[in-house]
Amino acid sequence: MIQIKGISSITPLGLGVEELSARSLLNDKANLLAPPEFYNYKYLSGLNLLPKISQYGCISVYEAIRFAGYAVNSEKDSKTAVIVSNNYGSIHAIKDMFIDADKYGAKGVNPRFFPGTVLNVVAGHISIKFRFSGPNITISEGVESGCKSLLYAYELLNREDLKRVLVCDLNIFPPTGYKKPVENYLTEFEHVSTILMEKVDEGVDRKEGVSIAINNISESKNEYFNNKIMASEFTPKLLTNVYKILKYEYNSQTEIQVSTDDSLFNIILN
């Protein structure tokens, strides 16, 4: 059995999954994240040495670990995998590097910009920071990145000799001037969210987590489901439902249907 043990989210409204319930208050002028230093995050040292996008990822992952009630590893953990979805988050560093190159020449570029230009840098920094030595994967599939990351995490836990997977869904908009070509493929608002999934024995108390089951269903059965959402809405919807189940101890089963470019999935939370 697979359970969701920890969840977290950084949104324009603040740090915490409970803030997702107030996302209807957001508008076009308030849909961007505050810079990482705004949170004055004291639980992790050395954050300021990392690219901003990695700072967001590390904060979100640690909040999910804290939510689950776990401590940070003191030794390498080969049983934990890290999956990060990242579409446009690296463009900010690429832009900064080009500005620096225009100003000082190619040989005068500040090397601190380079790590943030690499798409999979966030997954690497998370694994280093928390001593995870299991699989380390970055997925970039547009609006479907977050959904496909969780589907892949579920598959990994079922097929591989792993104990848990951390899925970090980065939804950072491109800088002004780069946004228009992809504005139809962006989420409603920026957010960095993490889901900690774990393989557990059958019969574990639900209060310790929310059981998740994912089934690939036929599009022909589409008419039988009335809770279908777009892939871009997937992570906030999932987190909100998991939070409600844990906080209010809902006993009823919750189902969410989400379609990718080639499949329809039914996700059951209990």
Side-chain angles (χ1 to χ4, degrees):
M1 181 171 67
I2 295 174
Q3 283 191 337
I4 295 175
K5 293 285 193 177
I7 51 176
S8 76
S9 191
I10 308 171
T11 73
L13 292 171
L15 181 60
V17 176
E18 61 275 11
E19 302 292 350
L20 282 171
S21 61
R23 63 184 182 273
S24 60
L25 300 176
L26 295 172
N27 54 54
D28 290 340
K29 295 182 179 179
N31 60 1
L32 302 179
L33 293 177
E37 57 268 22
F38 171 82
Y39 303 101
N40 195 26
Y41 202 72
K42 300 294 186 182
Y43 296 104
L44 294 172
S45 60
L47 275 180
N48 62 319
L49 301 176
L50 302 179
K52 286 187 177 181
I53 191 169
S54 292
Q55 293 182 46
Y56 285 128
C58 288
I59 291 172
S60 183
V61 164
Y62 191 46
E63 284 296 295
I65 292 172
R66 292 180 66 232
F67 188 102
Y70 296 150
V72 175
N73 300 315
S74 57
E75 298 181 356
K76 287 186 177 181
D77 177 6
S78 62
K79 297 296 185 180
T80 296
V82 174
I83 301 177
V84 171
S85 65
N86 182 12
N87 294 318
Y88 311 112
S90 300
I91 297 179
H92 291 268
I94 293 171
K95 178 186 175 183
D96 291 341
M97 189 172 70
F98 269 96
I99 291 173
D100 213 47
D102 285 341
K103 188 174 182 180
Y104 300 109
K107 294 184 178 180
V109 173
N110 191 326
R112 72 182 177 88
F113 291 123
F114 177 73
T117 69
V118 182
L119 194 67
N120 63 353
V121 71
V122 182
H125 282 143
I126 289 170
S127 290
I128 293 169
K129 199 73 175 173
F130 299 101
R131 302 181 67 80
F132 299 136
S133 58
N136 184 287
I137 300 147
T138 297
I139 292 177
S140 186
E141 290 275 350
V143 294
E144 296 183 352
S145 296
C147 176
K148 288 189 174 181
S149 294
L150 184 123
L151 295 173
Y152 190 34
Y154 186 81
E155 184 177 346
L156 276 180
L157 283 171
N158 278 308
R159 294 189 178 186
E160 303 294 333
D161 185 23
L162 294 170
K163 176 64 176 175
R164 62 184 62 89
V165 179
L166 281 148
V167 179
C168 182
D169 185 19
L170 292 160
N171 289 277
I172 307 295
F173 295 170
T176 303
Y178 297 76
K179 187 176 177 181
K180 190 170 181 60
V182 296
E183 60 185 0
N184 293 331
Y185 305 97
L186 299 176
T187 51
E188 184 181 355
F189 54 92
E190 286 190 326
H191 68 89
V192 179
S193 304
T194 297
I195 301 162
L196 191 162
M197 300 169 65
E198 186 172 307
K199 193 184 299 181
V200 299
D201 296 330
E202 295 287 343
V204 171
D205 189 347
R206 196 200 67 182
K207 291 182 179 180
E208 297 181 4
V210 174
S211 297
I212 180 171
I214 302 176
N215 300 310
N216 190 336
I217 55 180
S218 170
E219 286 283 1
S220 63
K221 298 179 181 179
N222 196 9
E223 65 270 16
Y224 298 107
F225 298 100
N226 55 16
N227 197 21
K228 185 178 175 183
I229 60 170
M230 297 192 313
S232 60
E233 304 172 311
F234 174 73
T235 302
K237 183 79 171 179
L238 180 73
L239 290 177
T240 300
N241 278 281
V242 170
Y243 181 75
K244 287 179 178 178
I245 291 171
L246 290 174
K247 183 175 176 62
Y248 303 110
E249 297 185 357
Y250 287 168
N251 293 316
S252 59
Q253 178 174 288
T254 299
E255 296 189 24
I256 303 170
Q257 295 81 45
V258 60
S259 59
T260 64
D261 52 7
D262 53 5
S263 299
L264 178 66
F265 295 91
N266 189 43
I267 296 162
I268 304 169
L269 303 173
N270 205 336

